[in-house]
Amino acid sequence: MCHSTPQPQCTKTTLFLLLLLHHSQFFSSSSNMGPSSTHTPRSPTYLIPCVIALALFSLTGLLLYKVDDVASRTGTVVGHNLEPTPWHVFPHKPFDEESRQQRAYKILQCSYLTCRYAAEALGGARRRTGGGREECPKFFRAIHRDLAPWSESRISKAHVAAAQRYAAFRVVIVEGKVFVDWYYACVQSRAMFTLWGLLQLMRRYPGMVPDVDMMFDCMDKPSVNKTEHQAMPLPLFRYCTTKEHFDIPFPDWSFWGWSEINIRPWQEEFPDIKRGSRSVTWKNKLPWAYWKGNPDVASPIRTELINCNDSRKWGAEIMRQDWGEAARNGFKQSKLSDQCNHRYKIYAEGYAWSVSLKYILSCGSVALIISPQYEDFFSRGLIPNHNFWLVDPLNLCPSIKYAVEWGNQHPVEEISLSLDSHL
């Protein structure tokens, strides 16, 4: 967020490689030096190659040690030693599938060897943000609201540094190259897919992404409370926010994949969900509301929602999702494209916001959204009674029943609402 061009930090790995280069140059220059004395028991032609070989062997051993050290300390990118979330219990990914050196190479490649997508492709040309006069679409008004706390003070290096206390990692983009500084390991593969999304952004818009320095957290709930931080708002990116927090919403990792529960990238999931929805006409869809998810996430709303599981009494079918069992069965019963057979789909927040909203909206069913507390980057553009039907959390089951009965009695209006909710 700090738009003054930051200098990339000299990481231990970078410093090590520089020392290695300097060391190799030293041995290269030393090989051209003659012996200092003619009274040598062995010919220098044998001694110098032996010294060089010994030096290279030592450097190789040192390099392998450093790479092994990186492999043992780094878990976020590859995700081998990440603890499962408390609410999604998965077995650990085996750590002995490949050598530590192979895994470390992947880590180094992802963390430090990112290609410079911008400068070489466009000859170093950079698009200046102040040159265009085109008006920003109304959908992006929320971005101005997100950045309003810094409209006068601007975002300084002090702001960014103070946000580190709440961050999982720091991302610095300089001249089209991404640098990452890790503070703690994110759960599962969140960090890897988030960074993968940033790298795709750089590749899709070469030369157009300005230099930026930002702190990022990967946990569910926002942490920069407006009351506590009113004097100095902290710019921290995460997957959701509320009106009581300064946290800036960023697209969640599942847009690029969530391998632990077999979720593919959005460009693959979305077409499949649409095909699944269109395979059953509106008239032939089941005339009640549907929800499938994990209620065991410290969510009072989901706990209460379980009590609405009665299609005759409440017009709702509530299904418990056991991700452990789903994983053991190869996720055969958890395909998102097979969950679009109802006229109404319920969205219920979990521990915080839920990544499921975009998949529910994609079905083309009427989205029954239980009054949400959290918002992600796109949900703020949804309009009640236009893109979704708002469900009262204080009168949950009767509110769902009323929505279903009204919709079945007014099919034209409900079809229109379902089309407006379709992403």
Side-chain angles (χ1 to χ4, degrees):
M1 291 299 302
C2 182
H3 290 284
S4 60
T5 304
Q7 296 298 322
Q9 292 184 328
C10 185
T11 63
K12 292 181 179 179
T13 305
T14 307
L15 181 60
F16 171 73
L17 293 177
L18 288 173
L19 291 174
L20 175 61
L21 177 62
H22 177 75
H23 206 46
S24 63
Q25 290 175 340
F26 169 79
F27 277 107
S28 176
S29 60
S30 298
S31 64
N32 296 323
M33 299 174 58
S36 57
S37 173
T38 57
H39 302 287
T40 304
R42 296 185 62 183
S43 172
T45 58
Y46 296 100
L47 178 61
I48 293 176
C50 290
V51 172
I52 293 176
L54 180 61
L56 291 176
F57 179 80
S58 301
L59 287 175
T60 302
L62 180 60
L63 178 61
L64 290 176
Y65 169 77
K66 295 297 293 183
V67 168
D68 187 73
D69 181 55
V70 171
S72 64
R73 290 185 293 104
T74 307
T76 303
V77 177
V78 177
H80 60 266
N81 66 346
L82 302 186
E83 293 294 333
T85 61
W87 49 93
H88 288 162
V89 181
F90 296 107
H92 288 284
K93 182 179 179 181
F95 194 52
D96 55 355
E97 295 178 0
E98 54 188 350
S99 70
R100 295 170 72 92
Q101 286 71 32
Q102 287 175 313
R103 285 192 302 278
Y105 172 74
K106 293 179 182 179
I107 295 169
L108 294 173
Q109 186 180 47
C110 184
S111 300
Y112 303 102
L113 308 181
T114 308
C115 296
R116 292 179 180 269
Y117 299 124
E120 291 81 355
L122 298 181
R126 306 291 297 277
R127 188 181 73 169
R128 301 300 177 186
T129 56
R133 294 290 182 181
E134 186 177 351
E135 184 178 354
C136 195
K138 292 182 179 180
F139 178 81
F140 296 101
R141 287 179 299 185
I143 295 177
H144 298 281
R145 190 184 81 189
D146 292 335
L147 301 180
W150 303 277
S151 59
E152 295 184 2
S153 67
R154 318 300 290 176
I155 297 177
S156 66
K157 291 182 178 179
H159 284 99
V160 176
Q164 178 180 337
R165 173 185 172 189
Y166 303 93
F169 57 90
R170 177 185 183 185
V171 174
V172 179
I173 299 176
V174 181
E175 296 182 355
K177 189 169 184 177
V178 179
F179 299 84
V180 182
D181 192 12
W182 305 103
Y183 303 129
Y184 71 83
C186 299
V187 295
Q188 300 182 340
S189 54
R190 293 185 182 190
M192 180 180 69
F193 283 113
T194 299
L195 289 176
W196 178 231
L198 284 171
L199 294 179
Q200 290 189 59
L201 176 73
M202 306 296 292
R203 176 171 290 176
R204 184 168 184 174
Y205 301 102
M208 298 171 65
V209 179
D211 294 348
V212 65
D213 183 355
M214 61 183 183
M215 294 292 177
F216 202 105
D217 191 31
C218 55
M219 297 306 290
D220 287 358
K221 290 188 175 183
S223 55
V224 188
N225 186 278
K226 288 185 177 180
T227 302
E228 181 183 352
H229 299 276
Q230 188 62 47
M232 184 179 179
L234 303 181
L236 180 69
F237 285 84
R238 70 167 61 251
Y239 305 122
C240 73
T241 190
T242 75
K243 291 179 174 59
E244 290 74 39
H245 290 84
F246 287 120
D247 300 69
I248 303 170
F250 186 92
D252 73 79
W253 73 97
S254 64
F255 277 98
W256 298 282
W258 190 355
S259 56
E260 288 86 356
I261 60 172
N262 203 39
I263 297 294
R264 297 171 297 168
W266 178 249
Q267 66 267 25
E268 298 178 26
E269 277 307 344
F270 182 47
D272 270 5
I273 293 174
K274 286 202 299 184
R275 280 191 290 268
S277 176
R278 292 170 180 172
S279 64
V280 182
T281 64
W282 175 268
K283 181 180 179 180
N284 292 328
K285 289 183 182 291
L286 299 173
W288 54 77
Y290 178 81
W291 181 83
K292 186 176 184 178
N294 184 4
D296 304 318
V297 292
S299 169
I301 287 295
R302 292 191 178 187
T303 301
E304 179 64 23
L305 184 59
I306 294 294
N307 298 325
C308 304
N309 184 29
D310 192 323
S311 58
R312 292 186 179 182
K313 183 178 181 179
W314 302 118
E317 181 181 358
I318 310 301
M319 305 290 290
R320 179 185 291 269
Q321 176 70 72
D322 184 338
W323 285 113
E325 182 66 23
R328 288 188 289 272
N329 293 330
F331 300 99
K332 296 178 181 179
Q333 305 300 321
S334 302
K335 292 183 62 176
L336 296 173
S337 57
D338 293 338
Q339 300 179 33
C340 297
N341 300 321
H342 296 72
R343 294 181 185 176
Y344 314 90
K345 291 206 66 177
I346 301 171
Y347 170 75
E349 291 182 334
Y351 182 68
W353 106 113
S354 172
V355 304
S356 63
L357 179 58
K358 56 183 173 292
Y359 307 119
I360 290 172
L361 295 172
S362 300
C363 267
S365 304
V366 175
L368 306 183
I369 297 183
I370 303 172
S371 188
Q373 176 184 355
Y374 303 90
E375 53 188 33
D376 59 18
F377 86 101
F378 75 88
S379 64
R380 299 174 294 182
L382 302 177
I383 303 173
N385 299 324
H386 181 69
N387 302 116
F388 67 94
W389 184 293
L390 191 63
V391 174
D392 183 3
L394 301 179
N395 195 33
L396 188 57
C397 298
S399 186
I400 293 174
K401 179 182 180 180
Y402 176 77
V404 170
E405 290 180 346
W406 190 93
N408 290 334
Q409 294 169 7
H410 301 80
V412 176
E413 291 87 342
E414 285 303 276
I415 292 175
S416 176
L417 183 58
S418 71
L419 293 175
D420 288 335
S421 71
H422 201 189
L423 291 176

